Amino acid sequence: MAFMEKPPAGKVLLDDTVPLTAQIEASQSLHSHTEYIIRVQRGVSAENSWQIVRRYSDFDLLNNSLQISTLSLPLPPKKLIGNMEREFIAERQKGLQAYLDVITTHHILSNCELVKKFLDPNSYSVNYTEIALQHVSMFFRSEPKWEVVEPLKDIGWRIRKKYFLMKIKNQPKERLMLSWADLGPDKYLSDKDLQYAVKLLSSCSHPYIYKITFATANESSALVIRPFSEKGTLKDLIYKGKPKDPFLKKYCNPKKIQGLELQQIKTYGRQILEVLKFLHEKGFPYGHLHSANVMLDGDTCKLLDLENSLLGLPSFYRSYFSQFRKINTLEGVDVHCFGHLLYEMTYGRPPDTIPVDSFPPAPSVFVVSVLESILTCEAMKNGMPTVSRLLQMPLFSDVLLTNSEKPQFKIPTKLKEALKTSKECIEKRLTEEQKLIHQHRRLTRAQSHHGSEEEKKKRKILARKKSKRSAYESGEEHSAKYSNSNNSGEMGCHPCSGTTLKESRMWTLKSNSLSNRKEVFPIEEYC
């Protein structure tokens, strides 16, 4: 096979799911326009940061491109006259900062190629669609029975994964979907094991796994073909989206927010948990559950993209579960992602924040009970329940599954060992990232506490006390020196008391010291 005959070796080390933050540090006015100097940082390390320079027109161009999302984004309005005045520039800078805060914290927008290219042009300068077309064209040279119908532009959220609608030449009415993706930062299988594991996916048969028609991989990327469904995914059902529309258009701002019926929630939830349990028992890592990775086939949910974990691609929800150190296994990741999916099925939208403090009214208290066991602060501290535990909960335990298809997925022992090692490496990278985030959070909290008004007052009081103590010690030293200078070193009688000169000097030093402390002692003790 001539698929990607001379590919670039290795995997993509950059994790596209690591959040970018942006802070406008300054502005500079040139002859006809103003430039804004922006500090961009990837993740929590201040060392992993860089500066970019953007004009208002650059922001405006980005905003126009993001209009496909139908979100109302807070870009400051244009102004033709007086736009070089200092007060106006300062006000506009505040507005542009608010705009950056919105697009970098919105989960879908922050992961889209448009925003990544705006903030990190060096890492995202490549035309990934063009690269994908080149690799797919190479594939068709050796597999002439396939034919591309059209590119499915931006239907997914991944920057380095592209989709094409296909057909078989002798079956022109049947439609298939081809996906091409780079290898990601969590690719730990050897090239030989990866190629074997990817090819093995087409032999997997399970009532709740979407069938793969063909799959192949090499040292740098992979290509997978599966049937195309006009009905779309579970996310399309929830958001009333059209499968061929861009991801931003379908899911950023749904016209109508409405959850599914209780019976759908119960049935779909049970089916998804069953297939997760099956994969966990097989020792096959997944970690990529979300509603757009669940295909609908009638009343049946079928899991998509089993190849993602083999290719080392980071999870859609990684920026969420990487915040919590108790979610440190791929089984735990799957359960956490299931919580997100269940919330979407119930309420027709993703949760506003994670952890979730309180849940809106749900079709059943049993739904809330499951959500509380996964998405609350207490759940994040104690760790995720197992899939088996979720299956025993009242929401799913009474669901009857009618599909009688027998699951089949034979994984050779040697490959199982390789998958186990790969899974451990994926979990290790996750744990290390969580540790860095935890340390950064503690440092930030300490700095915030140190800079609070209460702490500033405490430091002022301590400084005053220290200043008084220094003044007292200085005064005591001065008194001692003064007493010594007024007395000779000879012994003699004190004219008033009959004491020796040495005793008189000791009495003088002690009385000076005591007078500084403002304490009273009987005079006879020294006479």
Side-chain angles (χ1 to χ4, degrees):
M1 179 176 290
F3 170 52
M4 297 177 289
E5 293 155 331
K6 292 183 180 181
K11 61 185 181 181
V12 175
L13 297 176
L14 182 64
D15 187 340
D16 296 321
T17 64
V18 177
L20 299 179
T21 54
Q23 188 71 34
I24 302 177
E25 294 184 323
S27 61
Q28 54 188 18
S29 296
L30 304 180
H31 295 295
S32 59
H33 66 274
T34 302
E35 292 181 338
Y36 298 92
I37 302 168
I38 305 169
R39 171 69 58 180
V40 182
Q41 181 174 314
R42 176 178 287 107
V44 297
S45 175
E47 296 176 358
N48 196 1
S49 67
W50 57 93
Q51 278 187 339
I52 58 172
V53 178
R54 293 288 181 266
R55 298 170 56 174
Y56 176 82
S57 58
D58 298 321
F59 280 90
D60 188 49
L61 187 62
L62 171 65
N63 192 63
N64 288 335
S65 301
L66 294 177
Q67 290 305 302
I68 190 173
S69 70
T70 70
L71 289 168
S72 180
L73 300 173
L75 183 71
K78 293 180 181 179
K79 185 178 182 182
L80 300 177
I81 301 174
N83 59 6
M84 300 297 290
E85 296 173 358
R86 184 180 299 177
E87 293 79 7
F88 172 77
I89 292 172
E91 195 63 31
R92 172 175 276 184
Q93 181 173 321
K94 290 181 182 178
L96 293 177
Q97 183 61 60
Y99 181 82
L100 287 172
D101 292 342
V102 169
I103 65 173
T104 54
T105 54
H106 189 284
H107 184 59
I108 294 178
L109 290 185
S110 63
N111 281 298
C112 80
E113 188 174 357
L114 293 167
V115 173
K116 295 285 190 183
K117 280 188 172 182
F118 181 82
L119 297 174
D120 188 7
N122 291 335
S123 299
Y124 299 96
S125 58
V126 177
N127 188 327
Y128 297 104
T129 302
E130 192 67 32
I131 292 174
L133 279 169
Q134 292 173 6
H135 289 180
V136 171
S137 298
M138 291 180 187
F139 166 71
F140 284 126
R141 291 177 194 171
S142 59
E143 296 288 341
K145 67 177 182 178
W146 312 98
E147 185 177 321
V148 171
V149 177
E150 61 175 315
L152 298 172
K153 188 172 172 58
D154 300 327
I155 67 165
W157 68 276
R158 291 188 187 278
I159 297 172
R160 306 172 199 271
K161 190 170 189 176
K162 300 300 175 183
Y163 299 86
F164 302 87
L165 192 65
M166 294 178 54
K167 67 179 180 181
I168 303 175
K169 289 183 178 178
N170 60 2
Q171 299 175 23
K173 292 185 177 180
E174 185 181 354
R175 291 290 180 265
L176 301 122
M177 184 175 69
L178 180 150
S179 63
W180 170 90
D182 271 329
L183 304 184
D186 280 325
K187 183 262 180 184
Y188 295 105
L189 290 172
S190 68
D191 293 339
K192 184 179 178 181
D193 287 335
L194 172 66
Q195 292 166 19
Y196 183 68
V198 167
K199 287 181 180 179
L200 194 68
L201 292 176
S202 57
S203 68
C204 178
S205 176
H206 191 283
Y208 308 127
I209 293 178
Y210 202 63
K211 184 68 178 174
I212 290 176
T213 305
F214 178 86
T216 186
N218 73 357
E219 295 87 350
S220 65
S221 57
L223 182 151
V224 178
I225 299 173
R226 39 172 71 87
F228 177 75
S229 172
E230 294 288 348
K231 192 172 182 181
T233 64
L234 179 58
K235 202 173 188 77
D236 291 323
L237 175 66
I238 296 170
Y239 290 79
K240 313 296 186 293
K242 296 178 181 178
K244 292 183 182 179
D245 281 346
F247 201 85
L248 293 183
K249 182 178 180 180
K250 290 186 289 188
Y251 307 134
C252 270
N253 190 28
K255 294 179 180 178
K256 187 178 181 181
I257 298 176
Q258 183 178 356
L260 305 182
E261 298 292 330
L262 178 60
Q263 192 55 46
Q264 288 177 304
I265 295 171
K266 289 167 65 73
T267 302
Y268 294 160
R270 175 65 187 266
Q271 291 170 351
I272 292 166
L273 288 174
E274 287 291 344
V275 71
L276 290 178
K277 183 183 177 186
F278 172 78
L279 292 174
H280 292 175
E281 289 173 349
K282 285 289 182 180
F284 189 93
Y286 185 52
H288 292 273
L289 179 63
H290 60 93
S291 56
N293 266 359
V294 179
M295 192 67 78
L296 286 177
D297 185 6
D299 292 328
T300 304
C301 279
K302 298 195 174 187
L303 212 58
L304 283 169
D305 287 1
L306 262 65
E307 71 274 12
N308 281 359
S309 59
L310 304 177
L311 307 183
L313 306 184
S315 170
F316 181 64
Y317 291 120
R318 186 180 180 91
S319 61
Y320 288 100
F321 59 73
S322 61
Q323 304 290 321
F324 307 104
R325 300 175 77 183
K326 287 289 186 178
I327 308 175
N328 52 18
T329 65
L330 285 186
E331 290 84 359
V333 167
D334 282 335
V335 171
H336 177 78
C337 294
F338 179 78
H340 283 263
L341 186 149
L342 181 61
Y343 192 102
E344 269 189 307
M345 287 197 294
T346 305
Y347 301 111
R349 60 179 181 82
D352 295 325
T353 58
I354 296 293
V356 180
D357 295 326
S358 61
F359 296 91
S364 167
V365 293
F366 295 144
V367 175
V368 175
S369 178
V370 176
L371 290 173
E372 286 176 341
S373 72
I374 300 173
L375 297 180
T376 58
C377 188
E378 185 179 357
M380 304 299 175
K381 289 179 180 178
N382 297 331
M384 297 291 100
T386 63
V387 170
S388 297
R389 173 72 187 100
L390 293 177
L391 283 167
Q392 294 170 357
M393 296 183 78
L395 182 63
F396 306 116
S397 60
D398 62 348
V399 176
L400 297 175
L401 301 176
T402 57
N403 201 308
S404 58
E405 180 185 345
K406 187 177 179 181
Q408 289 185 340
F409 192 21
K410 293 183 180 179
I411 304 175
T413 304
K414 190 176 179 181
L415 182 58
K416 274 189 176 181
E417 288 300 316
L419 290 173
K420 181 182 178 182
T421 302
S422 173
K423 175 178 176 292
E424 289 170 353
C425 291
I426 293 171
E427 292 170 349
K428 182 180 178 182
R429 187 176 86 87
L430 173 60
T431 303
E432 290 172 349
E433 183 179 338
Q434 289 170 332
K435 184 179 179 181
L436 288 174
I437 292 172
H438 178 70
Q439 289 172 345
H440 173 74
R441 191 183 293 128
R442 288 185 63 184
L443 178 62
T444 303
R445 195 181 297 128
Q447 290 173 340
S448 176
H449 178 68
H450 188 71
S452 66
E453 289 300 321
E454 185 180 350
E455 280 298 303
K456 287 179 180 178
K457 288 179 180 178
K458 286 182 181 178
R459 289 199 296 274
K460 284 181 180 178
I461 293 170
L462 287 173
R464 282 198 293 267
K465 287 182 177 179
K466 187 176 181 181
S467 177
K468 288 180 179 179
R469 191 182 303 116
S470 298
Y472 155 69
E473 290 172 353
S474 176
E476 189 176 58
E477 183 180 349
H478 176 73
S479 298
K481 287 181 179 178
Y482 179 78
S483 178
N484 283 333
S485 66
N486 287 310
N487 291 281
S488 65
E490 298 177 2
M491 295 293 290
C493 294
H494 195 277
C496 297
S497 61
T499 59
T500 65
L501 184 60
K502 184 178 180 181
E503 289 170 339
S504 174
R505 186 180 300 137
M506 290 174 64
W507 180 89
T508 305
L509 288 171
K510 205 163 190 179
S511 62
N512 283 336
S513 175
L514 292 170
S515 65
N516 284 332
R517 298 182 193 176
K518 300 188 184 301
E519 295 179 2
V520 179
F521 292 89
I523 190 71
E524 55 266 22
E525 185 176 344
Y526 301 99
C527 295

